[in-house]
Amino acid sequence: MELSDVQADITEVLLTEQQIHDKIAELARRVEADYAGQRPLLVGVLKGAVMVMADVARELKMHVDIDFMAVSSYGMSTESSGVVRILKDLDADLSGRHVIIVEDIIDSGLTLAWLKANLASRGPASLEILALLRKPDAAKVDVDVKYFGFDIPNAFVVGYGLDYAERYRNLRGVAVLAPHVYA
Ligand code: 5GP
């Protein structure tokens, strides 16, 4: 599906497929350098991080492990509740592993702060975060994101894994959802 197929539902294309691809390549080069000789474990949060995980993992020219967990997030609403619940836990044992959390977007940062603390308690050798998108409020949160892609405005965005009521995840770019869709 192309962004043009849902043009009436979006107000602005923030990032094209090409821009995302170029940025992920850039981040992957840094990860390769930082983890040379190691085999990091990439941890993604379902379902939003699926696209960024798939692209980051394939861009990395090194051995990596991939694992996913599912936590509760916005559901059908467009605002963070701050309540995080594990719906599906990781398969991997994190002890002694170099773990990189792969995230789609940081808004309030509540989800990520909780996730980082939770994974840190499992004894990884190191724990870093890669996030493709960051909203303005995230800057106020004290979560150190080592690899991040783009700062975006404070709007509700969809595409590249991000949904509204489970739709739009398969858009190749990232776009601002038109208010009439969720009004
Ligand atoms: P936070 O806890 O940082 O406020 O929100 C984290 C989660 O909320 C993200 O992983 C994502 O699932 C969801 N989220 C935050 N902002 C947006 C947005 O603009 N669009 C969509 N589709 N989901 C968002």
Side-chain angles (χ1 to χ4, degrees), residues 15-51:
L15 300 168
T16 64
E17 183 179 16
Q18 187 64 47
Q19 286 175 302
I20 295 168
H21 177 270
D22 292 349
K23 182 64 75 177
I24 285 180
E26 201 181 297
L27 297 178
R29 298 294 84 78
R30 287 178 49 203
V31 171
E32 285 162 4
D34 294 349
Y35 292 84
Q38 286 155 357
R39 189 178 112 203
L41 168 63
L42 308 180
V43 169
V45 179
L46 294 170
K47 304 170 194 167
V50 162
M51 305 302 178

Side-chain angles (χ1 to χ4, degrees), residues 84-104:
V84 180
R85 211 157 43 92
I86 296 180
L87 304 176
K88 181 221 171 284
D89 208 343
L90 298 171
D91 297 328
D93 177 1
L94 301 193
S95 61
R97 299 300 307 269
H98 292 286
V99 176
I100 305 174
I101 299 172
V102 174
E103 258 286 31
D104 44 11

Side-chain angles (χ1 to χ4, degrees), residues 11-183:
T11 55
E12 191 191 345
V13 176
L14 288 183
L15 300 168
T16 64
E17 183 179 16
Q18 187 64 47
Q19 286 175 302
I20 295 168
H21 177 270
D22 292 349
K23 182 64 75 177
I24 285 180
E26 201 181 297
L27 297 178
R29 298 294 84 78
R30 287 178 49 203
V31 171
E32 285 162 4
D34 294 349
Y35 292 84
Q38 286 155 357
R39 189 178 112 203
L41 168 63
L42 308 180
V43 169
V45 179
L46 294 170
K47 304 170 194 167
V50 162
M51 305 302 178
V52 52
M53 174 68 97
D55 284 346
V56 168
R58 285 179 296 177
E59 188 62 38
L60 286 170
K61 295 173 184 65
M62 66 195 307
H63 289 297
V64 293
D65 290 3
I66 295 171
D67 205 352
F68 286 100
M69 66 192 287
V71 301
S72 62
S73 68
Y74 288 5
M76 299 286 282
S77 162
T78 57
E79 269 177 52
S80 188
S81 61
V83 179
V84 180
R85 211 157 43 92
I86 296 180
L87 304 176
K88 181 221 171 284
D89 208 343
L90 298 171
D91 297 328
D93 177 1
L94 301 193
S95 61
R97 299 300 307 269
H98 292 286
V99 176
I100 305 174
I101 299 172
V102 174
E103 258 286 31
D104 44 11
I105 189 167
I106 313 170
D107 183 4
S108 71
L110 291 169
T111 310
L112 202 55
W114 176 89
L115 187 66
K116 194 173 184 190
N118 183 287
L119 300 189
S121 74
R122 306 184 191 195
S126 67
L127 180 59
E128 298 292 352
I129 298 165
L130 182 155
L132 185 68
L133 308 171
R134 185 170 71 172
K135 287 194 188 175
D137 284 348
K140 300 179 206 157
V141 185
D142 195 22
V143 184
D144 192 24
V145 178
K146 187 161 185 183
Y147 311 97
F148 87 88
F150 300 97
D151 278 309
I152 62 165
N154 210 356
F156 191 78
V157 297
V158 294
Y160 198 68
L162 293 166
D163 75 309
Y164 173 67
E166 298 300 328
R167 281 184 293 159
Y168 312 106
R169 290 193 198 276
N170 56 331
L171 295 179
R172 291 173 175 274
V174 172
V176 178
L177 190 64
H180 76 79
V181 178
Y182 53 85

